[in-house]
Amino acid sequence: NDYIPIHVRGGSVIPTQEPARTTTVSRTLPMGLIVALGDGNGAASGKLFWDDGDSIDTYGNGSYFLAEYVADNNGLQTVVQTDGYRGIDSINFGTIRVFGLASASSVQINGFPHSSFTFNSQTKELKITNINVGVKDLQSISWA
């Protein structure tokens, strides 16, 4: 397989989505996050803006979804800032990748233990898979 290297600045949280051949199909596929923890306390943040992709002035009309993701060395918190687009209701998270952790041996999602994860001590990557929690329903992920 050929890969394109991506450089992500520490302190960033970047929303991702699995690709498809059309926008209509891609908008039904799971979302993800790339969390690149910063130096020191590992602070990172980013936002997800989601609307129908067609209408004019969704921001002015409040017809959109906006969430902020804030992470540190202990976990990630979601703050939903605007919940004005119902199309987000059917979209789930699939995989979240966290880079820059020293270690991780347990994961909790919304306070419940989650066993589908791996930690690579060489790359310092925590890969959380099979999340299957709605984008608007994810409140927190903690790792230890």
Side-chain angles (χ1 to χ4, degrees), residues 120-132:
N120 184 322
S121 60
Q122 289 183 321
T123 61
K124 298 183 178 183
E125 177 192 3
L126 170 63
K127 186 174 185 179
I128 308 167
T129 56
N130 300 318
I131 295 171
N132 202 29

Side-chain angles (χ1 to χ4, degrees), residues 23 27 49-58 63-64 85:
T23 303
R27 291 177 73 82
F49 176 92
W50 194 266
D51 66 5
D52 67 9
D54 291 319
S55 300
I56 297 172
D57 200 24
T58 56
S63 301
Y64 62 94
Y85 178 59

